[in-house]
Amino acid sequence: MVPRTETELSRLLKHAIRAEGAMSFREFMQQALCHPEFGFYTRGPDIGSLSGPFQTNAKYGPFAFCLAGAIEQADALIGEPLRIVEFGGGTGELGNRVGSFLHRPHEYVVVEPSPGLRNKQRAIGLRTVAHPSELSPCPSFLLANEVLDAFPVHRVMGDGRGGIQEMYVDVDGHGEFVERFDVPSTPLLRARLESEGIVLGRGQVGDVHLGIDAFMADARSVLSVGYFLVIDYGMTAPDLYHYSRRNGSLRCYYRQRQVHDPLDLVGEQDLTADLDFTAVERAAAHAGFEPVGRQWQGAWLKAIGIDLYRKQVGSSDDSERDIETLTSPSQLGSTFEVLAFRTPGLPPVPGFS
Ligand SMILES: C[S@@+](CC[C@H](N)C(=O)[O-])C[C@H]1O[C@@H](n2cnc3c(N)ncnc32)[C@H](O)[C@@H]1O
């Protein structure tokens, strides 16, 4: 077996586990991504750069052009320029690009928990806050592009009797991380799956983002009236927890390559899991949003007017390639979905009829 790479964070977590006992996989993932000093996101990774951990929609001009178009259409529907609140702004590239395509100045705020990424966002002139509670409610357009998939997941496994066990991370006698299953750390896991009518098969692993509920409530608290677009990969609960996906949806990325051991390269690799769109839509409704709809990214970009990019910004080999990458069903067009929400009483979100 290839030995795992020891990192400063893996040493710290092993020390904590030896002192206090096994931690839930959710806590392990939270530390791996957001440990205050050594977390993957805390350190401010170069998301989107060629040497960075992975690419996102944020690096494509036509994507930001369409978001700016949607925001301006929303301004017209509400009757004033909306404050734009971007959750999880990465390096700030998306905010920067969206701003460059807007025809009127808008207030743009990034809600970013990572100090390293906040520094990068500030360095290019974006206003950032660490938590939504720092914002007062006003008419706003909210955006979350590939953010919820970065929330830590609880990993659970069907016990074959209709119940579940939860995965914990422990340290064995050789000083290696090992996975162990035990009784769930919270009854909310069982409640979430039961509410969705999901029964995991014996040995089937499912990844559960419980943090979605609080996130949606926080998001709703920053807007008096407006829209929210969540762009991410995922599925409805029956598909996500289908037995054919019996190993769950957790994935690891290191230097733009998918790797396969979540307990390796702790704090240096990205960890992500598919969203449960059923849970996202329910959490949004519970928080006071009206779900407007959900469609593939490619279809939404076309509905908003990605073709206008050629006329208004210009066409080049690069821009043609970007439009193809963003919209083609074989590329990002059917990788991501756009989930749209509004405050009650508004017309549909631009791009959704
Ligand atoms: C995969 S990156 C996407 C960055 C950017 N949206 C883009 O498309 O390039 C995930 C982002 O979500 C942020 N994030 C993680 N947990 C968050 C939370 N609870 N609230 C807001 N942002 C969060 C990360 O720090 C990072 O900026």
Side-chain angles (χ1 to χ4, degrees):
M1 204 171 90
V2 183
R4 290 184 176 131
T5 304
E6 200 74 83
T7 62
E8 281 169 288
L9 186 52
S10 66
R11 277 188 275 274
L12 281 178
L13 295 184
K14 284 176 184 177
H15 185 73
I17 290 170
R18 285 194 193 99
E20 292 159 35
M23 59 176 66
S24 69
F25 181 83
R26 186 226 167 260
E27 179 58 21
F28 178 86
M29 183 167 168
Q30 167 73 22
Q31 296 293 329
L33 297 181
C34 298
H35 179 277
E37 197 175 351
F38 300 117
F40 172 79
Y41 281 117
T42 311
R43 292 184 295 129
D46 264 333
I47 299 162
S49 83
L50 283 179
S51 60
F54 51 83
Q55 311 277 325
T56 71
N57 282 319
K59 72 173 211 157
Y60 299 106
F63 181 75
F65 171 84
C66 287
L67 284 178
I71 291 163
E72 286 179 336
Q73 290 177 40
D75 291 347
L77 292 172
I78 294 185
E80 59 180 300
L82 298 168
R83 176 182 64 182
I84 304 163
V85 179
E86 184 190 353
F87 292 93
T91 55
E93 195 168 6
L94 184 62
N96 211 12
R97 284 184 198 273
V98 169
S100 74
F101 289 119
L102 290 167
H103 295 94
R104 291 169 70 181
H106 286 64
E107 184 185 354
Y108 199 109
V109 192
V110 182
V111 178
E112 176 56 66
S114 152
L117 290 174
R118 274 205 306 281
N119 285 341
K120 290 194 169 166
Q121 293 157 9
R122 284 197 197 110
I124 56 170
L126 292 172
R127 181 180 161 214
T128 78
V129 296
H131 193 269
S133 57
E134 294 171 57
L135 299 175
S136 50
C138 74
S140 306
F141 193 106
L142 314 184
L143 280 175
N145 183 58
E146 281 193 64
V147 176
L148 286 165
D149 65 86
F151 281 23
V153 286
H154 291 265
R155 305 210 84 193
V156 296
M157 185 172 73
D159 65 6
R161 298 184 301 277
I164 51 170
Q165 294 231 303
E166 179 171 0
M167 183 187 289
Y168 293 81
V169 178
D170 207 346
V171 178
D172 69 11
H174 305 286
E176 286 287 344
F177 286 124
V178 282
E179 296 164 358
R180 256 194 327 99
F181 283 88
D182 210 328
V183 290
S185 58
T186 162
L188 294 175
L189 290 167
R190 193 174 178 144
R192 164 74 71 79
L193 294 175
E194 275 180 7
S195 74
E196 296 178 331
I198 300 298
V199 179
L200 296 178
R202 183 191 302 279
Q204 179 187 355
V205 173
D207 297 308
V208 184
H209 283 108
L210 286 184
I212 288 170
D213 299 296
F215 174 79
M216 279 296 173
D218 285 343
R220 181 65 186 83
S221 73
V222 307
L223 98 179
S224 52
V225 63
Y227 294 108
F228 189 11
L229 290 184
V230 173
I231 303 165
D232 225 315
Y233 35 81
M235 278 159 253
T236 57
D239 286 336
L240 183 64
Y241 299 118
H242 190 268
Y243 191 72
S244 59
R245 294 193 179 78
R246 61 187 165 279
N247 295 321
S249 70
L250 185 80
R251 293 185 293 284
C252 323
Y253 290 93
Y254 182 64
R255 296 187 180 158
Q256 295 187 16
R257 285 183 41 207
Q258 189 171 355
V259 288
H260 299 282
D261 183 358
L263 306 184
D264 196 6
L265 294 161
V266 186
E268 294 184 8
Q269 66 177 346
D270 184 32
L271 300 172
T272 177
D274 286 339
L275 283 188
D276 170 353
F277 289 151
T278 307
V280 175
E281 286 168 353
R282 286 182 175 190
H286 189 72
F289 286 105
E290 260 180 28
V292 177
R294 175 163 59 86
Q295 59 180 316
W296 291 116
Q297 168 173 298
W300 183 74
L301 291 173
K302 285 183 181 159
I304 282 292
I306 199 165
D307 288 336
L308 293 174
Y309 188 85
R310 298 185 178 94
K311 257 197 238 149
Q312 294 184 12
V313 185
S315 174
S316 64
D317 287 352
D318 282 352
S319 66
E320 290 307 318
R321 200 174 42 239
D322 288 355
I323 292 172
E324 175 70 9
T325 302
L326 287 163
T327 57
S328 164
S330 64
Q331 300 189 58
L332 302 182
S334 298
T335 300
F336 296 109
E337 293 192 54
V338 182
L339 287 77
F341 306 98
R342 63 182 165 195
T343 51
L346 288 184
V349 184
F352 286 80
S353 49

